[in-house]
Amino acid sequence: MNTMKTLALLLVVGLVTACAGPSKTTTDDGAAGTATPGGASSAGVGDSGAGMGDAMGGAGGALGGPGASQENRVVYFEYDRFDIKPEYNAILQAHARYLSSNPGARVRLEGHADERGSREYNIGLGEKRAQAVRSVLLLQGGVSDQITTVSFGEERPAVIGSDDEAWSLNRRVEIVYGP
Amino acid sequence: MRHIAVLLLLGALAAAPARAELQIEITEGVDQALPIAVVPFGWQGAPGGAPPLDAAAIVAADLARSGRFAPLPRADMLQQPTSAAEVQFDDWRRQGSEVLVIGRVLNPQPGQYELQFQVFDVLRGEQLLGYRQPATTANYRRSAHRVADLIYEKLTGVRGVFSTRIAYVTVVRSAGKAPGQVQGSYRLVVADADGENPRIMVESPEPIMSPAWSPDGSRIAYVSFENRRSEIYLQDLRSGTRKRVSARPGVNGAPAWSPDGQRLAVSLSRPDGNLDIYTLDINTQVLTRLTTGSAIDTEPAWSLDGRQIYFTSDSAGGPQVYRVPAEGGSAQRVTFEGSYNARPRVSPDGRQLAVVHNDRGNYRIAAVDLARSTTQVLSDGRLDESPSYAPNGEMLIYATRAGARGVLATVSANGRIKQRISALEGDVREPAWSPFPPN
């Protein structure tokens, strides 16, 4: 309606600066085609402890907890599935162990889907994936107060692209430590 | 606690030059487009004055976009009559025009106009329609679309949708502060049905999803992640006022208005992490749970009478469409053809569902006939989604890809006429066609 024009409102709702908390996986969308798994969350992940970034395959660094390397903080899934592949048992166990020995630790599980299909269904898939990771963490010693889930569906791809490789990198749960 | 800046920009763009954010091109043809001539409207205001816009050009573009009319180019017009007395039907017949539209713009007061127009059957030399459409400077474009609606209805018997609107989401990605970092800007936009006159309703650095028009067209429900989680908001189009109606733990998604505008059907994941369909009374906040179980139940859509809710569920493995009574009861499966049928939308005549359908590995828009249970694939993309019916049921708008970019397209309900609407920048997605404007 044209009354809108005449109103010419500038409603600024909650214009508060984004304070990037240490837990934040900075916007991952797309980091221009870098196809590293979890290339998503590059900056700002609570880098407690030094040298974790160099841990090759977790050899030198922690498998679980906030000090885990990038690749040990992402779980990938098959198309339209939310069951966890056995290869992730070790890192999820390590994260659960960290949670149980650090009762003050908080973790946020961010579920994602690839771009195919409908968007709200993909929100559902992302939530199911995050819940699946949550169940494992709870079984292995995490406490429910420590774990929250959120699903971004296909809205925040780690990798931009419409091929099998991009899709497989986008079907994921990111494990994000924070307050 | 994290706060995200959310800007509600409503009408703030009024000062900016009116530029279409979307451009529409017809990509696939028409069986038989009726030749029509829409002559530039004469000016009958003060000498030296001029109308704010070229109404006849807007009308001709609308009619062409429907795919059912082929307007005669102005350069080919032998004459440009503005009154019935000036019309030489023989000339128009020779040029093959079967219908002629002429008009005049009156300007009784500053800012007030009247679009007087007449529609003629050229072959018979008879007037089919004569009408006076009032207009103001502010709503001149809408008024021209109204003229096109009236002509369309007179000639086809179907109410036109040129004066309706579309809502959609755009994402513009730009370089962030840190090297290699990319930030997104998500916008909920409402534009005229031809893509002109875009207005940003809400803008956020976090995802915005699932816009849904209230049945009276005055409000839009949508999902915003501005607090880093999904929440459902209602926003009044006129005032820009918004209200958060669902921010329960877990997923708050897929809002769909009941036909009476009193309730929303939503998908919530509380309290057990399973997504289920609920109805939410907007005023009382009373929640009614309609589905249970461990399946993903989402994407509700009300039947026309408000008694049933269609929704997507993966309870049989892959996503399929089911139906449950809106007051509660057991769910019945509705779609059976193919491995993937999701996000149902009920056609305005209630006979079909538009769905996202997996067609040999491609995600396409399909129409499911509810009585016969047959499925007709309507679109031809690889990653098509989010179908939304025009309120007259003749077309659907949906999201597709042009290269890597998200764009909008329309397809006629019979699948024959296809058009692409390409945005000037960013990814465009999740179109929702408005209801008819109130008369």
Side-chain angles (χ1 to χ4, degrees):
Chain A
M1 283 293 171
N2 297 278
T3 38
M4 285 182 174
K5 270 194 171 178
T6 54
L7 283 177
L9 298 173
L10 174 60
L11 288 178
V12 182
V13 167
L15 177 61
V16 193
T17 44
C19 56
S23 70
K24 187 178 185 185
T25 59
T26 30
T27 13
D28 23 76
D29 310 315
T34 49
T36 47
S41 40
S42 48
V45 183
D47 298 3
S48 63
M52 64 91 181
D54 297 322
M56 293 292 289
L63 264 184
S69 67
Q70 204 77 204
E71 67 209 71
N72 290 336
R73 279 184 278 112
V74 189
V75 177
Y76 295 96
F77 294 81
E78 293 300 312
Y79 170 73
D80 203 17
R81 300 290 294 269
F82 38 82
D83 51 315
I84 293 169
K85 293 186 257 184
E87 64 199 82
Y88 296 105
N89 289 348
I91 66 166
L92 291 180
Q93 211 165 38
H95 283 290
R97 210 176 302 128
Y98 179 86
L99 289 174
S100 89
S101 49
N102 295 274
R106 294 289 179 270
V107 72
R108 176 175 152 105
L109 306 173
E110 300 185 347
H112 301 267
D114 72 34
E115 65 183 353
R116 291 175 289 174
S118 68
R119 289 178 179 271
E120 288 281 2
Y121 181 72
N122 285 337
I123 290 283
L125 275 178
E127 180 69 15
K128 283 290 196 183
R129 286 169 181 160
Q131 293 289 343
V133 172
R134 180 174 185 268
S135 307
V136 174
L137 294 180
L138 289 177
L139 274 175
Q140 313 253 3
V143 176
S144 70
D145 287 354
Q146 294 179 288
I147 306 168
T148 56
T149 61
V150 64
S151 173
F152 288 104
E154 64 178 281
E155 308 302 315
R156 292 189 157 281
V159 175
I160 299 293
S162 297
D163 53 26
D164 286 331
E165 191 196 358
W167 290 332
S168 65
L169 292 169
N170 288 332
R171 292 188 301 266
R172 69 200 193 278
V173 169
E174 298 187 14
I175 300 168
V176 182
Y177 284 86
Chain B
M1 186 76 190
R2 179 175 293 107
H3 302 277
I4 301 290
V6 174
L7 283 176
L8 278 182
L9 294 163
L10 186 66
L13 303 183
R19 192 162 56 98
E21 185 177 317
L22 301 169
Q23 289 176 333
I24 297 180
E25 54 190 287
I26 296 180
T27 51
E28 203 166 303
V30 191
D31 324 320
Q32 270 195 321
L34 185 76
I36 190 170
V38 185
V39 177
F41 290 1
W43 172 249
Q44 294 194 349
L53 290 165
D54 184 341
I58 294 169
V59 170
D62 281 348
L63 295 173
R65 230 176 37 254
S66 74
R68 295 177 65 158
F69 296 92
L72 183 71
R74 280 185 184 176
D76 296 345
M77 294 177 183
L78 297 174
Q79 64 218 208
Q80 299 197 338
T82 60
S83 70
E86 300 168 66
V87 173
Q88 303 288 328
F89 287 109
D90 281 342
D91 286 349
W92 297 105
R93 273 183 214 120
R94 260 194 296 281
Q95 288 189 288
S97 294
E98 292 185 26
V99 178
L100 172 68
V101 178
I102 64 168
R104 300 158 294 283
V105 181
L106 281 62
N107 185 200
Q109 290 174 49
Q112 300 286 326
Y113 303 90
E114 188 172 278
L115 301 171
Q116 295 184 353
F117 67 95
Q118 289 160 285
V119 180
F120 297 98
D121 177 335
V122 170
L123 300 181
R124 293 193 182 142
E126 282 173 7
Q127 178 172 318
L128 296 171
L129 176 68
Y131 200 85
R132 297 157 185 248
Q133 171 68 39
T136 64
T137 308
N139 74 10
Y140 203 83
R141 182 177 291 280
R142 282 309 269 306
S143 300
H145 289 313
R146 277 282 295 151
V147 171
D149 283 345
L150 292 163
I151 295 169
Y152 188 86
E153 182 163 4
K154 185 68 195 174
L155 297 176
T156 68
V158 176
R159 188 169 173 184
V161 292
F162 306 116
S163 62
T164 59
R165 288 171 290 178
I166 48 174
Y168 52 89
V169 174
T170 67
V171 188
V172 179
R173 294 180 205 280
S174 56
K177 287 180 191 131
Q181 187 191 330
V182 177
Q183 23 180 236
S185 175
Y186 295 79
R187 290 172 175 175
L188 173 62
V189 182
V190 171
D192 293 352
D194 61 356
E196 295 281 345
N197 210 12
R199 295 179 299 274
I200 300 170
M201 304 307 299
V202 65
E203 182 166 12
S204 169
E206 302 294 335
I208 295 171
M209 290 178 68
S210 304
W213 292 87
S214 65
D216 66 359
S218 71
R219 288 186 287 177
I220 291 182
Y222 57 90
V223 173
S224 171
F225 283 77
E226 64 200 62
N227 294 314
R228 296 280 292 171
R229 50 195 301 277
S230 58
E231 299 170 336
I232 299 171
Y233 290 81
L234 305 185
Q235 186 162 340
D236 187 85
L237 266 76
R238 206 177 268 262
S239 67
T241 314
R242 49 182 221 148
K243 180 170 135 190
R244 191 171 70 179
V245 292
S246 189
R248 293 164 175 87
V251 172
N252 296 268
W257 298 81
S258 61
D260 65 4
Q262 300 299 305
R263 287 184 288 173
L264 293 176
V266 296
S267 178
L268 305 177
S269 68
R270 58 149 230 170
D272 47 11
N274 291 325
L275 277 86
D276 284 305
I277 304 295
Y278 293 75
T279 57
L280 171 65
D281 187 297
I282 293 166
N283 293 318
T284 65
Q285 282 281 315
V286 170
L287 263 187
T288 307
R289 186 174 188 163
L290 297 182
T291 66
T292 54
S294 63
I296 297 172
D297 295 336
T298 185
E299 302 173 338
W302 298 74
S303 64
L304 300 187
D305 63 7
R307 289 190 186 162
Q308 302 281 330
I309 292 175
Y310 296 93
F311 63 100
T312 308
S313 176
D314 73 340
S315 56
Q320 295 291 345
V321 177
Y322 292 72
R323 181 175 58 202
V324 66
E327 308 307 326
S330 60
Q332 279 183 312
R333 185 165 166 179
V334 174
T335 56
F336 295 93
E337 206 169 312
S339 62
Y340 193 113
N341 291 291
R343 224 210 67 144
R345 288 293 182 272
V346 182
S347 65
D349 66 6
R351 292 183 185 161
Q352 296 190 319
L353 294 180
V355 296
V356 177
H357 173 79
N358 189 322
D359 179 32
R360 293 160 294 164
N362 299 296
Y363 293 81
R364 291 180 172 156
I365 308 308
V368 177
D369 184 296
L370 287 168
R372 287 178 294 173
S373 215
T374 54
T375 300
Q376 183 193 3
V377 176
L378 299 176
S379 72
D380 53 10
R382 197 171 146 239
L383 293 164
D384 299 343
E385 60 186 43
S386 304
S388 173
Y389 279 100
N392 66 4
E394 292 219 311
M395 313 265 269
L396 298 101
I397 193 166
Y398 61 97
T400 183
R401 296 295 175 88
R405 209 156 57 89
V407 297
L408 305 185
T410 60
V411 60
S412 58
N414 61 13
R416 290 204 196 118
I417 304 164
K418 295 191 177 74
Q419 301 175 358
R420 183 187 299 156
I421 308 172
S422 18
L424 297 180
E425 62 167 13
D427 268 321
V428 190
R429 57 193 47 182
E430 296 203 82
W433 210 314
S434 80
F436 282 120
N439 276 317

